[in-house]
Amino acid sequence: MPKHDTPLLDQLESGPWPSFVSDLKRQAEVNPACWDILGQLELSFVDKITHWKHGGIVGVFGYGGGIVGRYSDVPKKFPGVAHFHTVRLNQPSSKFYSTKILRQICDMWERRGSGMTNMHGSTGDLVLLGTFTEQLEEIFYEVTHDIGMDLGGSGGNLRTPSCCLGKARCEWACYDTAAACHNITNTYQDELHRPAFPYKFKTKFSGCPNDCVASIARSDLSVIGTWRDDIRIDQAAVKGYISGEFAPNAGAHAGRDWGKFDIQKEVIDLCPTGCMWMEGGELKIDNAECTRCMHCLNVMPRALRPGVDTGASILIGAKAPILDGAQMSTLIVPFIKMELENEFAEYKEIIEKCWDWWMEEGKNRERIGESMQRVGLPTFLKVMELDALPQHVKEPRSNPYVFWKEEEVEGGFERSLAEFRARNPM
Amino acid sequence: MPKHDTPLLDQLESGPWPSFVSDLKRQAEVNPACWDILGQLELSFVDKITHWKHGGIVGVFGYGGGIVGRYSDVPKKFPGVAHFHTVRLNQPSSKFYSTKILRQICDMWERRGSGMTNMHGSTGDLVLLGTFTEQLEEIFYEVTHDIGMDLGGSGGNLRTPSCCLGKARCEWACYDTAAACHNITNTYQDELHRPAFPYKFKTKFSGCPNDCVASIARSDLSVIGTWRDDIRIDQAAVKGYISGEFAPNAGAHAGRDWGKFDIQKEVIDLCPTGCMWMEGGELKIDNAECTRCMHCLNVMPRALRPGVDTGASILIGAKAPILDGAQMSTLIVPFIKMELENEFAEYKEIIEKCWDWWMEEGKNRERIGESMQRVGLPTFLKVMELDALPQHVKEPRSNPYVFWKEEEVEGGFERSLAEFRARNPM
Amino acid sequence: MGYDPANPMKDRITDIGPPHYEQFYPPVIKKNHGKWLYHEILAPGVLVHVSETGDKCYTVRCASARLISTSLIKDMCDIADKYCDGCLRFTTRNNVEFMVDSEEKVKPLVDACNAHGMLPVGGTGASVSNPVHTQGWVHCHTPATDASGVVKAVMDELFDYFTSMTLPAQVRVALACCLNMCGAVHCSDIAILGVHRKPPLIDNDTISQVCELPLAIAACPLGAIKPAKGINSKGEEVKSVTVNVDRCMFCGNCYTMCPSLPLADPTGDGIAILVGGKISNSRSMPKFSKMVIPFLPNTPPRWPETVAAVKNILEVYAKDAKKYERVGEWAERIGWEKFFEKCNIPFSDKCIDDYRLAYDTWRTSTQFKFTSHIK
Amino acid sequence: MGYDPANPMKDRITDIGPPHYEQFYPPVIKKNHGKWLYHEILAPGVLVHVSETGDKCYTVRCASARLISTSLIKDMCDIADKYCDGCLRFTTRNNVEFMVDSEEKVKPLVDACNAHGMLPVGGTGASVSNPVHTQGWVHCHTPATDASGVVKAVMDELFDYFTSMTLPAQVRVALACCLNMCGAVHCSDIAILGVHRKPPLIDNDTISQVCELPLAIAACPLGAIKPAKGINSKGEEVKSVTVNVDRCMFCGNCYTMCPSLPLADPTGDGIAILVGGKISNSRSMPKFSKMVIPFLPNTPPRWPETVAAVKNILEVYAKDAKKYERVGEWAERIGWEKFFEKCNIPFSDKCIDDYRLAYDTWRTSTQFKFTSHIK
Ligand code: SRM
Ligand code: SRM
Ligand code: SRM
Ligand code: SRM
Ligand code: SF4
Ligand code: SF4
Ligand code: SF4
Ligand code: SF4
Ligand code: SF4
Ligand code: SF4
Ligand code: SF4
Ligand code: SF4
């Protein structure tokens, strides 16, 4: 394939941030198709519009997802990207890799694809960007046989779950996010590969309320670590922070002189519940009032640690704005245990209840969060066989419009007009 | 009329709170109809249901409101309340009375009505409770000729405006609420007496953000006093509060020992904007950050006073829940002057703009706040010929759904398919 | 002389509006209008306002049942004539206020009020002032409960909070006898709301005569009412409507438009308790009241369940809240889950919003407190 | 050997799922899994995690364009082989992380990254980390702007904030190229959003063949699409639709369902800026991003208007906010009117919500600050 002039894109080769343009040009030496990626992108820069056609249903035999079809609308000009399908590979938990497996993937992709990737896609997949239809089965074969990987999700199915670092490298993980993500992904391979849902369904695992995998904003079912006992305090370390021996927030603010650490201003006053105070040189926490927001732990990681009775909160319904506006997940189950020992049974009971109901009641292309809004939270809680809790809401209703059920009202709804008029004549 | 047994009501004669039952019994000596009020009310206490029929359109000639018709559904049992119409008298501003006029009203009402009243109705009227149809014109004649009063509003019209004490007896009044209420009520007598609106329209005048006439919650057009210069500080008086010489909050908390007054905890820390601090024994306020919430003035009335460049904020759209849920008024005009000198011209321009639009666009039984919600705030602001301000909202929109108008978009909405396909083939 | 029915338009006077307020001002008010410097609450129900002229206005505030007789008003006039140069006023919460211009006039005035027996002094500052309320069974056609009776029962129990100033802040109590909420219920610290719970009864004997069916149908915000044939008690088929009871939220708007669709019912009707509303802009922005108890039965003459519920909330608040904190500010600081726990109120799914703006009330965070509700 | 098209099912392997993560853990991670006590950021992009065993894991974080080549991945592998026992990982924001188990191994590793030229070290703590972004013109069919190009232009300008930790808190920047918002735009400190502003163009030459008209009609959340006859370029009448352009909010859902209804347009499309979102539950609950600039033009290759807008907001925030305060927490503390004033952003009525939950954003209070906006 010939090189195209890319005067506009060339301007993106300068500057300190890594340049995907330079990277593409380099890769073009290995995969000449990259010249056409550059060429078509340059044309989009000139035209200020995409040059990819709408959709395109392609895939591998027996799977309903994992491949996103894509075709150029100017294939004659850019034959190298006439087809430009994406292959989504299901990433390993927390996105740790050996160089061995990465090199295998790269070699395969240089032979069978464009040589370009996204490390990673927003959902979490390892995204191989751009190949031809005839390559898809070959790729699938090599990936499953030689590399030992599998496709991720796309379409109306369980999307590739993802998780934060968790216990692998974080002191705050309240459960093993990587184990959960792996176990659950494998349990639901069929739901992941064979679309049977009204629409996409995402689940993400964060080890604590810092939510480093953005599960509360980006997953239909969010699993966020928390604890139900007391924050562990090392008073000596507290003194260490006060004395300046330890850098607050683990040095996250080291780049500017913010003055001497002030535990009152930086921790106690910023506690959203005001449940902390100093007493006789010791930091006190009224744990019954703590909402486990993480701020104090974040600022003094050496002094404060989550409790030991740890688990996760389950929140449901996050999604992007299409159609009713974005939603964040809503707290549905305040606390469950998340344990490999029982194969995360509590979690699985919840997700399966969601699916059973949503596959029945959900409309086409309706996310579960939208279904929840349509039927109302009280109805959804009944579906989930959960008692309504004040924790489910930020505040009780301010309108008086209660939908009483007939069985809840003494005497029911049926009334005799004769009786009524005998007492209250018209 | 005979006395009825009222064993249930009789139980409301004991207890320290003034008993309307005892009062009714006493009035029955003057107005025997009161025995029937008691009798029918007792029946309602037994039946747990009202015994008043639905509606009933009665009134005085030439007026479309001011009387609320009411008929008993058990008139044979209680002939004294067979008719029980309400007469709404438009109260004087701030509800000051001379004993002379009150006695006139009472004498008239003992002759022509039940002798029972509401001092006052929730909207603000002096409510005369219970008379017969044949009395209405007589009452109207006496009220207008001998007492010098007039009827208030009911139906789809301007409802009786009302106001707080204001300058009459309050140090915080930022404009003359009584003068405004009186002047505006008289200017719009026709709108008040002859229903021409889609639904009721209420306006209430509070002299400051304490909003003692609840205008933000209970009026379609709320006028709430404020200022745009600096809070006046008397530093000597500040010291008086700190030293304990003056009771905080004017003694409003005198009934309990709350400990020594702490200006930091009770004022500075409770300031919603955190714009106050102590400096060299003096209280400082960054007035540019102040939202004039009144808290600090409320707590230290001798030390702090509103500025001198005073006026009012105009908020629009409050209403009770029927049908879309309750609304509070929304800030529409941050600041106007409210002056008798120019007959409150700025206010009148605003209210007339509202009416002109609402009478055009408002649906039957749609409050202006509901009309605002239906068309959206940006559209309403255009109607009011106002620039959109960040002050109009608590926060900008979080959804991305902007309704662009054709004229705002370069090239407009019309596009040529041929051109499009030339660039982007299907 | 007087109204002449034969000739109704004869020297008719209209549109004169309210009498001018100034003529009713006590002299000290007239003289110091706009000149007030500050005020002080000398005792519960007794205020002094101090003017830059040095003048002082002493105010004595007394409760009233609002539903009052001309005889009682005349008693008030007697007091005003004797002590207050024949002037008095009523507050926006239906208390009556007597004003004098010097301190020595205060005690005799207060004594006179106390002596009367129906004019208790109080309602200022950190108190429970007079509840804003409505008509109930005394005058209205749509109530789900009574007004004056419930208020009397509640205030007998809260009376000491009216005559003292021991609360963390003012507590505004309001009652409305139906969802129309005539008054302040939607923005009160503690609100008592009459609620219907049975869908409209369809009176096929009258509906086709007394109702504009299209208006009745249009009245329903949820489209629960549809045109349909009905059978009247004579067995005749008539133009009528059906109500989809599953979509009915008992708002009563259909009855407002059509007398043949009554909702009221002895067992269906009762009271809901809402709390945490406020109107002032002081510290926090105005807030709506929130429903915390969806239903209590109508139990005349003294509504013990309602009285107990209101008193319980008030006293838990009084114990737990910080100085200046309104009920809603307190509940938001401790979190609503703690409100329910501390007040020992069982949480009902009815308190979870499922109307138009419901989503904004859902808890989209992991921030919550563990309470007894979580098993 | 290998895939046999003639016999696709031959020893086919399916549903094996992702490889087990543990095999990819560096030894120090495997050994100290779940044993970490605390961490420290030694320098921008350099973290140490300390285990109760006394072991330490040093992490070096490098930026990546996310759209990267196999050659670049192999470079990363070379570094990991040389310094990190052949292990590496990627973060949830698409940075790459190299881990070593002792302090002396850190400097050579950092030097190697710097030496590479495409692996700048940073993105930790109070920095601007890697922007979460999407496909744009590189791969998607619905974009209103490009992704990688805009991100490159913005990050070239914000680069120093990636390699330092001078901000009041972490600032999460995200980009999505259309309203589908693949990624984090709806909850980011600063979000760059591709927006369409022209209603769908109706392609009557293809619509009746390639679209399920009922689905396209149903796709519109506002019912702006109605069935109608259309005339194709041959002048023939075809089954088609009309769009009520006054009801169109340019969401693009119709195009997602029907290729014959494209919204994309060179002048209609551009970028909106949203700010103040956050995901963590730290201090305040998670927040949505709010629209503060409704439109900026598409100006490849470097989108100067967008770059300037983002940098301006970031730097005003950096100067004005308190330590630990996220962008949204800052804006709420000072008030949004002050945000617009301080950032010198003209306020547009487009920033006022007029969608489903709009009422909850209206200012129902007298609490506001006077700003330059008020004439
Ligand atoms: C590749 C990816 C963006 C990226 O560059 O990383 C992506 C790309 C597309 N997304 Fe997405 N989404 C991707 C993550 C997301 C996320 C983020 C996440 O998953 O954490 C979201 C927001 C969270 C959510 O799910 O709501 C997201 C919300 C959407 C939506 C809106 C869904 C909604 O309910 O609002 C659509 C529209 C649709 O489904 O028709 C969409 C549709 C699409 C389509 C398939 C376009 C379309 O109209 O069908 C895009 C294909 C682009 C292409 O040709 O490559 N994509 N999409 C991400 C998937 C990679 C991966 O598997 O790892
Ligand atoms: C008398 C009074 C209650 C009282 O005891 O004080 C009252 C009584 C009635 N109101 Fe009211 N409203 C009264 C103040 C209010 C207020 C408070 C206020 O004005 O500050 C409100 C809430 C604020 C508002 O306007 O939204 C109020 C909101 C309603 C509503 C609901 C309107 C809405 O848009 O949500 C209705 C229903 C209707 O209009 O059909 C209503 C309807 C009624 C009707 C006419 C019943 C009906 O269905 O038509 C009541 C007649 C009762 C009777 O027979 O005496 N009343 N009504 C108040 C008027 C006295 C006066 O003129 O001073
Ligand atoms: C007399 C009256 C105005 C009138 O025209 O009738 C009035 C008079 C005063 N109010 Fe008020 N308010 C009156 C109804 C209100 C209302 C309206 C209502 O309750 O329906 C409110 C809003 C209630 C709410 O927020 O829900 C109201 C919220 C205030 C506040 C704000 C309190 C707060 O912190 O939220 C203050 C300031 C204070 O009390 O420190 C205030 C302060 C005052 C002051 C101190 C003003 C002054 O300098 O004189 C007056 C005496 C206060 C007292 O009674 O302790 N007034 N005040 C009303 C007496 C009603 C009653 O009989 O109890
Ligand atoms: C590596 C990574 C997890 C992963 O599995 O890849 C991660 C790792 C850490 N996060 Fe995170 N966070 C990571 C994405 C996130 C995200 C998700 C996102 O940005 O999309 C969030 C939510 C963002 C938001 O709120 O909008 C996130 C919110 C936090 C917070 C909360 C900060 C706050 O005050 O709001 C902390 C606590 C802190 O920084 O003090 C935190 C703290 C940490 C700690 C200190 C946890 C620990 O003890 O190791 C880790 C190093 C922090 C650092 O980089 O300075 N992490 N962290 C992600 C690195 C992304 C990157 O390359 O920049
Ligand atoms: S979410 Fe919590 S546990 Fe997971 S990486 Fe972030 S801080 Fe650690
Ligand atoms: S975790 Fe949050 S709420 Fe709990 S004590 Fe720490 S700062 Fe306070
Ligand atoms: S609203 Fe303000 S001015 Fe009016 S009485 Fe109340 S405190 Fe005084
Ligand atoms: S009025 Fe309110 S905002 Fe202004 S300084 Fe006083 S307390 Fe603060
Ligand atoms: S609240 Fe309802 S029942 Fe009570 S007076 Fe108003 S309309 Fe009548
Ligand atoms: S009560 Fe309300 S919801 Fe029920 S039918 Fe009547 S109007 Fe509809
Ligand atoms: S945001 Fe829109 S344009 Fe960008 S990748 Fe996602 S769907 Fe495609
Ligand atoms: S862009 Fe959205 S609003 Fe406009 S017509 Fe298409 S679906 Fe409807």
Side-chain angles (χ1 to χ4, degrees), chain C residues 336-365:
Chain C
W336 282 98
E337 62 269 46
K338 279 285 176 186
F339 168 89
F340 282 93
E341 187 178 58
K342 288 182 190 234
C343 293
N344 196 2
I345 297 173
F347 186 76
S348 160
D349 65 343
K350 306 286 180 297
C351 297
I352 297 179
D353 196 355
D354 52 3
Y355 201 48
R356 305 233 157 123
L357 305 171
Y359 174 73
D360 286 347
T361 68
W362 297 3
R363 189 170 315 218
T364 51
S365 171

Side-chain angles (χ1 to χ4, degrees), chain D residues 17-18 22 62 93 129-130 146 154 162 279 297 299 337:
Chain D
E22 219 172 71
C62 303
R93 296 191 74 88
S129 188
N130 207 341
D146 187 37
V154 167
F162 177 83
I279 283 160
T299 48
E337 63 268 46

Side-chain angles (χ1 to χ4, degrees), chain B residues 14 17 23 27 54 63 70 84 99 103 110 118 145 168-169 171 193-194 250 253 266 302 324, chain C residues 11 15 36 39-41 68-71 75 81 88 97 135 139-140 152 168 186 255 323-324 356:
Chain B
S14 57
W17 192 251
D23 196 15
Q27 190 66 24
H54 186 287
Y63 278 21
R70 194 60 73 220
F84 202 59
T99 53
R103 290 182 196 278
E110 287 168 5
N118 289 137
H145 286 71
R169 205 192 70 203
E171 66 267 33
H193 290 135
R194 292 165 200 93
H253 292 77
E266 300 187 38
R302 292 175 187 236
D324 269 352
Chain C
D11 55 54
D15 300 297
W36 303 108
H39 74 283
E40 203 161 310
I41 305 173
I68 58 176
S69 69
T70 52
S71 308
D75 293 350
D81 285 333
L88 70 166
E97 289 184 335
Q135 296 295 326
H139 196 279
C140 196
K152 163 70 174 158
H186 57 303
Y255 180 64
K323 190 178 179 187
Y324 303 109
R356 305 233 157 123

Side-chain angles (χ1 to χ4, degrees), chain D residues 134-136 140 142-143 176-178 180-182:
Chain D
T134 50
Q135 296 295 327
C140 196
T142 70
C177 23
C178 87
N180 286 341
M181 289 193 194
C182 301

